[in-house]
């Protein structure tokens, strides 16, 4: 440990633990990025989180909060301090009558589901996995697939955030509304979310059915009842077969019934498919045949064939992500779905003229399926500043997944994603914050989000030195100031990327102004104790003039 850190550590309350490791390797779930934080810290109490922030201010360090690392981008990479809240994961209270659950922000969705099950409660909707922390799922605009639900943060009633000065701030739709709208999709750049108040619903089972259909049938039914007949609907599109698997689910009182097991869906199929995808790295032209083989084995040759089951919603809404993967997902207006799919289909099947996409698709072969999901945030209020869904109308998500068999990048990645993102931008789309978008500029992002300046204003007020800002935030969100590349004192800058042994990228960063604070420990950001750590600074009570407001946080 750096002697300067040890010195500052010796000056603060020794009764509050500082659970730090100096030898942690951070990696994304998909093993796309690796980084080596100077300190990896797992606090177990509010006082410990406050101590971390206080020391970071004194030692001039950036803080990155991370959960399961499911985002395949470099969003959570750091060479500074990484805070993991896996041990700050308790359910604090459950109001059975109002169905309101208050929890520490590090709890994983799977564990939360099990805790709520004991009270006959559940989440109204889920994304594809439940390994994320509740704070991570909210902070990146995670969503499921239903026109009757929006993104997961739609059910959040209130948040508590610890800011860079060590104070805890409460916010909700009624109190500190601007902060609430910024924090609902915070991207880790405002502070450490430490507590979530969530509106649960009564537990329910779902009966789901999935079946194979011609793509044309899916498109013809698009504006009828494809997305509205059942509460939950998603589609997996097979671009070379021009077919799609339609998955639909509805609430039911029926007892659970597991899907029929098949050899292909077990361990044999998992490894066989993985090996074939690996072979396709060198012979990409076999991918259309691989797609046909996999679908034929699972569904046969007849349209309408499929499977069904009855499961608890907390598990039945999930899916198996299989292997390491790049995930490039965009939100576009639902009404533009048929055009987007037809044009992308033409491009993938090498009909350049019909696709009207200005990139050559010769030699490009991609993995199946392309996932198609929906949400509707029309009734969401207040709306998060960085909500990537379409305001006032249903949203379609197109997810161009590329597997990384045995952690090897597929050869089509750069050109496929360049063409895909170009089309999504032409469709009026916005990228999913936690995915692998790469050709989008900061200027384009700002045009996509009319309220971006409101988010930046709040961000700069609560974290003026950039303790929670990294190169990813600068690349896509933060404007340059006076031509300076790194205007915030604690902002971390990427300095190097290298190929990692075994695949992926090793990421390194630095804080140019990483010099110990000149203030004595006794004079700056003293640790609060007990109840004082829970006191909230309410934005609604702040002075009107900007200078006075800033003084409160410094």
């Amino acid at each position: 440990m750096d002697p300067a850190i040890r010195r500052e550590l010796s000056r603060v309350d020794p009764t509050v633990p500082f659970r730090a490791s100096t030898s942690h390797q951070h990696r994304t779930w998909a093993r796309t990025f690796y980084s080596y934080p100077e300190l990896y810290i797992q606090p177990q109490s509010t006082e410990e989180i406050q101590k971390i922030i206080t020391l970071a201010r004194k030692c001039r360090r950036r803080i990155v909060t991370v959960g399961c690392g499911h985002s395949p981008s470099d969003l959570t990479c750091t060479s500074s301090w990484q805070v993991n809240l896996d041990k700050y994961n308790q359910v604090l209270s459950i109001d059975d009558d109002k169905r309101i659950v208050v929890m520490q922000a590090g709890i994983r969705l799977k564990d939360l589901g099990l805790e709520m099950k004991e009270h006959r409660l559940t989440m109204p909707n889920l994304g594809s996995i439940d390994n994320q922390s509740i704070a991570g799922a909210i902070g990146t605009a995670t969503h499921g697939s239903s026109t009757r639900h929006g993104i997961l943060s739609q059910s959040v009633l209130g948040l508590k955030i610890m800011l860079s000065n060590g104070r805890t701030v409460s916010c909700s739709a009624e109190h500190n509304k601007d902060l609430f709208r910024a924090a609902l999709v915070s991207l880790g750049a405002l502070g450490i979310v430490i507590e979530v108040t969530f509106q649960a619903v009564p537990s329910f089972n779902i009966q789901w059915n999935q079946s194979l259909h011609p793509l044309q049938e899916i498109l013809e039914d698009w504006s009828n009842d494809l997305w509205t007949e059942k509460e939950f609907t998603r589609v997996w599109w097979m671009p070379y077969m021009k077919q799609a698997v339609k998955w639909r689910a509805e609430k039911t009182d029926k007892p659970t019934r597991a899907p029929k097991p098949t050899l292909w869906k077990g361990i044999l199929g998992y490894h066989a498919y993985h090996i074939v995808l690996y072979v396709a790295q060198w012979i990409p032209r076999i991918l259309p045949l691989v797609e046909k083989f996999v679908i034929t084995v699972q569904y046969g040759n007849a349209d309408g064939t499929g499977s069904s089951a009855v499961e608890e919603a907390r598990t039945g809404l999930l899916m198996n992500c299989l292997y390491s993967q790049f995930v490039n997902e965009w939100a576009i207006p639902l009404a533009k779905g048929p055009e987007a799919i037809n044009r992308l289909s033409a491009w993938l099947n090498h009909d350049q003229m019909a696709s009207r996409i200005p990139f050559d698709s010769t030699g490009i072969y991609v993995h199946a399926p392309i996932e198609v999901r929906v949400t509707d945030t029309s009734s969401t209020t207040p709306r998060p500043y960085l909500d990537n869904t379409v305001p006032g109308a249903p949203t379609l998500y197109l997810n161009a997944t590329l597997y990384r068999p045995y952690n090897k990048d597929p050869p089509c990645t750069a050109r496929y994603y360049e063409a895909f993102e170009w089309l999504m931008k032409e469709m009026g789309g916005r990228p999913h914050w936690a995915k692998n978008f790469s050709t989008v500029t900061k200027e384009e992002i700002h045009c996509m989000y009319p309220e971006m300046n409101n988010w930046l204003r709040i961000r700069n007020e609560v974290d003026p030195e950039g303790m929670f800002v990294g190169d990813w935030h600068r690349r896509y969100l933060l404007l340059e100031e006076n031509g300076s590349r790194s205007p915030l004192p604690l902002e971390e800058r990427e300095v190097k990327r290298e190929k990692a042994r075994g695949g992926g990228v090793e990421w390194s960063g630095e804080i140019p102004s990483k010099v110990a604070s000149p203030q004595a420990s006794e004079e700056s950001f003293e640790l609060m104790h007990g109840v004082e750590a829970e006191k909230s600074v309410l934005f609604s009570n702040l002075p009107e003039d900007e200078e006075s407001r800033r003084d409160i946080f410094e």
Side-chain angles (χ1 to χ4, degrees), residues 358-388:
F359 299 94
D360 187 10
S361 64
T362 303
I364 295 295
Y365 296 94
V366 305
H367 300 154
I370 296 171
E371 188 178 32
V372 186
R373 294 188 287 172
V374 293
T375 61
D376 191 345
T377 60
S378 300
S379 61
T380 299
T381 181
R383 182 179 173 85
Y385 289 133
L386 298 188
D387 186 339
N388 61 1

Side-chain angles (χ1 to χ4, degrees), residues 471 474-475 480-481 483-487 491-494:
D471 200 87
R474 175 64 60 186
R475 192 186 319 148
E480 311 299 336
E481 296 183 11
S484 173
R485 171 63 182 81
S486 184
E491 177 181 334
E492 186 174 15
R493 179 173 60 190
E494 178 182 324

Side-chain angles (χ1 to χ4, degrees), residues 385-451:
Y385 289 133
L386 298 188
D387 186 339
N388 61 1
T389 61
V390 178
T395 296
L396 174 75
Y397 293 92
L398 280 180
N399 184 354
T401 297
L402 286 173
Y403 292 118
R404 302 178 62 249
Y406 301 104
N407 300 323
K408 302 299 181 184
D409 298 349
C412 66
T413 304
R415 203 186 325 167
Y416 177 34
Y417 280 178
E418 187 176 32
F420 176 72
E421 292 183 18
W422 184 91
L423 176 62
M424 293 298 99
K425 284 185 274 189
E426 184 164 276
M427 294 288 103
R430 297 171 171 177
H432 191 303
W433 292 115
K435 309 300 184 183
N436 288 111
F437 56 94
S438 58
T439 68
V440 187
T441 66
K442 184 185 310 182
E443 291 71 26
E444 287 174 324
I445 291 284
H446 277 251
C447 288
M448 293 172 185
Y449 290 89
E451 294 188 291

